[in-house]
Each structure stands twice: as C-alpha cells, then as structure tokens.
Amino acid sequence: MQHLINRAVVAAILFDPKVAETLLEIPDAALGRMFKNHLCKVVGQAMVYGIDLPALREEEERLRERVKRASKRAPEHEPLPGPNKANVARYPLVLQGKVLRVHDFCMAAGITEKKLDKFVDSGRMFRVYFGPEAYCPAFFLSSMIFRDDFKNVIRGLGKTDPWVMFDFFTTPIESLGGATPLQRLSVEDVEPVVEEAKSFAEQYAQLYASAQGDS
C-alpha cells in the first residue's frame, strides 16, 4: 500500500511540480476521498474497455522480479465480512474495485443514495448483493456510456438476476464480434446489445424454469 501511495505522489509531482503545494492545502479527509473517488472511476472505465487491471499488476510484478526489485511483502487483503461468505467466489470483485459499496459508489458518482434508488427504480442501474449488503458495479461510473443506454439494455434483460446481469455486461459475446456489451455501448452501438440482452433474458428464463422444474 505504501508503494502505491508513493507512486501516486510521484506521478502527481511529475505532472505538475507545483501540485504538492496545492495538495498540502487540502484537508486530509477531503484529499483521501478525492483520491478514492477517482480510483473508483478509473476502475469503472477499465471495466468498460476490458482492461484487466490484475493482469497488468501481475505483469508489473514479474518485471520487477526480473530486475530484482520485487517486494517480499505479501499483499494485504481486506478480510471477507461474515455475511458475504455465501458469495466467496465473487468477492475478489470487491477487492478489485469492480463492485463498490453503496456509500463509496455514491461519493464517486456525486449522487445521494436517494438518487441512486431512483436510478435503480427507473432501470438505469442495478445493485448486486453479498448477503444483505448492496454493492454497485463500478462500470456505472463510466462517462462513456449514457444512462439511458444502460436502461434500454437492463430493460431487455428483464427479471434476470442482478449478478447474471453483471456477467452479461462484462463477458465477451461472439455475436457482438467478441466484444463485451460494455465495449459496444461505449461506442454507442446500442441496438445490437439490446437485442442480445433480450435473447439472453429468454434463455435465462428457460434455464431458470427448467431448474425450478427439476427441483
């Protein structure tokens, strides 16, 4: 973590040598929140473009080892909260910042939780859950995709489970030229994604009905 902060500080100073003076004038809490908000947005943007941030980090680690600069400290991870243990397989998404706690998401988006509720109710966004705790996909922070375009796709997905919706948006689809729906939406190619969402929802409904029948 200290290595990350050091690099962020160096990058800021290299970008503008006078920035250190400005940053020092900002209250600690405000500066921390500002950094966290922008971090959330960057992760959301990376999801839209399909950039694998963990893979980039792993490559950097391998390079650092080759030049004998690798740190011997094991990475520290946030402990998995008790109520979330039912969804262990997806919890790395939290550690990677790909899904955000509601408070963090609202701070990064500059909206209130009441406004978020309205976006969810209108179908412009959706939440995912670890046990009772709600999280928001970081890709909703991307400025590259209009909320109405999200709405059209989410409407096409119908009553699909929120986590399955998350998978739909982030998974490459052959009929979309091997791109993810997020990537196609980022270039305003909405209609093919909406049609794919409708088809996906039909298949999901059939599978769900079949599973219910078997049980």
Side-chain angles (χ1 to χ4, degrees):
M1 180 60 70
Q2 188 62 45
H3 175 66
L4 173 64
I5 299 299
N6 288 343
R7 293 184 65 176
V9 171
V10 170
I13 294 175
L14 289 177
F15 178 76
D16 184 349
K18 295 182 179 180
V19 76
E21 297 178 10
T22 303
L23 293 177
L24 289 172
E25 294 175 358
I26 301 175
D28 293 351
L31 182 60
R33 172 49 63 182
M34 188 184 304
F35 179 81
K36 190 170 185 178
N37 288 349
H38 283 286
L39 181 62
C40 292
K41 291 179 180 179
V42 168
V43 172
Q45 199 78 317
M47 291 180 70
V48 170
Y49 287 115
I51 299 173
D52 190 344
L53 295 178
L56 291 177
R57 185 171 61 247
E58 290 170 6
E59 178 61 29
E60 182 183 12
E61 287 298 326
R62 287 194 291 269
L63 178 61
R64 189 176 293 117
E65 288 177 5
R66 286 199 295 269
V67 296
K68 297 182 180 181
R69 295 178 183 173
S71 171
K72 294 183 179 180
R73 291 183 58 191
E76 297 178 0
H77 294 299
E78 182 179 348
L80 183 65
N84 295 339
K85 290 181 180 177
N87 215 342
V88 174
R90 290 189 183 272
Y91 198 70
L93 294 171
V94 177
L95 302 178
Q96 296 164 11
K98 292 183 177 181
V99 293
L100 304 167
R101 289 180 173 83
V102 168
H103 173 74
D104 290 333
F105 180 89
C106 289
M107 292 294 290
I111 61 175
T112 63
E113 292 191 23
K114 185 176 181 180
K115 185 69 172 180
L116 174 63
D117 290 340
K118 290 183 178 180
F119 283 143
V120 172
D121 291 342
S122 66
R124 287 176 170 82
M125 295 183 184
F126 60 86
R127 301 184 187 92
V128 294
Y129 290 85
F130 287 96
E133 189 172 5
Y135 288 73
C136 294
F139 55 68
F140 285 128
L141 293 172
S142 173
S143 60
M144 300 294 294
I145 302 175
F146 296 110
R147 288 202 174 106
D148 281 348
D149 291 343
F150 273 125
K151 179 180 179 180
N152 290 333
V153 179
I154 292 171
R155 181 180 296 170
L157 289 169
K159 296 182 179 180
T160 303
D161 177 82
W163 273 118
V164 179
M165 286 190 186
F166 180 93
D167 292 338
F168 172 81
F169 276 104
T170 58
T171 302
I173 298 176
E174 185 176 354
S175 61
L176 296 179
T180 68
L182 288 175
Q183 290 169 332
R184 295 296 286 267
L185 291 176
S186 71
V187 293
E188 301 182 31
D189 192 13
V190 181
E191 193 57 35
V193 180
V194 173
E195 292 304 314
E196 188 64 34
K198 293 177 180 178
S199 175
F200 182 89
E202 291 177 3
Q203 295 176 32
Y204 175 81
Q206 292 172 2
L207 289 172
Y208 181 79
S210 176
Q212 291 293 100
D214 292 341
S215 61

